[in-house]
Amino acid sequence: QVQLVESGGGLVQAGGSLRLSCAASGRTFSQYVMGWFRQAPGKEREFVAAVSWASGNKYYADSVKGRFTISRDNAKNTVHLQMNSLKPEDTAVYYCAVKSRWRNLYDSREYDYWGQGTQVTVSS
């Protein structure tokens, strides 16, 4: 049984930073892709970033490029999302998810397992 547990959300002022973590358990993830998505009230879930556990390749949505950094800690089966220069429009519930192939990273339907989400609120 795969489990993904997010942590690190909270309330921060615009321009501030937060670091989200996603701890994965239940199988060997060395060949998988970990993604971060977010969903704001009344909006669809949107892709934020992804990292290949094996190669370390990373990919970002244009809206967060240059501000967010995704990284992985293979030894701890944990993926982090460092979020800097936060804006009020970054406010959302952030989810981590796992998929098996490095393709169609934007498509949430291709992710097999999801965490429960962590709330990020950025005040203006």
Side-chain angles (χ1 to χ4, degrees), residues 75-118:
K76 296 183 178 180
N77 267 6
T78 300
V79 173
H80 302 288
L81 186 68
Q82 178 67 42
M83 306 186 295
N84 298 329
S85 302
L86 283 162
K87 306 175 182 179
E89 51 263 44
D90 294 318
T91 295
V93 177
Y94 283 70
Y95 299 89
C96 63
V98 172
K99 71 192 308 283
S100 57
R101 294 187 180 185
W102 186 259
R103 70 177 188 186
N104 299 334
L105 300 176
Y106 279 78
D107 190 347
S108 62
R109 297 170 298 179
E110 294 216 358
Y111 288 76
D112 301 308
Y113 302 98
W114 292 83
Q116 83 288 351
T118 184

Side-chain angles (χ1 to χ4, degrees), residues 17-64:
S17 298
L18 281 174
R19 188 190 193 212
L20 305 184
S21 297
C22 176
S25 63
R27 66 174 53 186
T28 301
F29 292 93
S30 59
Q31 300 303 318
Y32 282 71
V33 176
M34 180 68 78
W36 283 98
F37 285 76
R38 65 187 182 186
Q39 189 166 19
K43 294 188 176 181
E44 292 188 355
R45 191 167 297 189
E46 67 169 344
F47 171 80
V48 175
V51 62
S52 166
W53 226 300
S55 67
N57 287 342
K58 302 174 184 179
Y59 191 74
Y60 297 93
D62 287 343
S63 59
V64 306

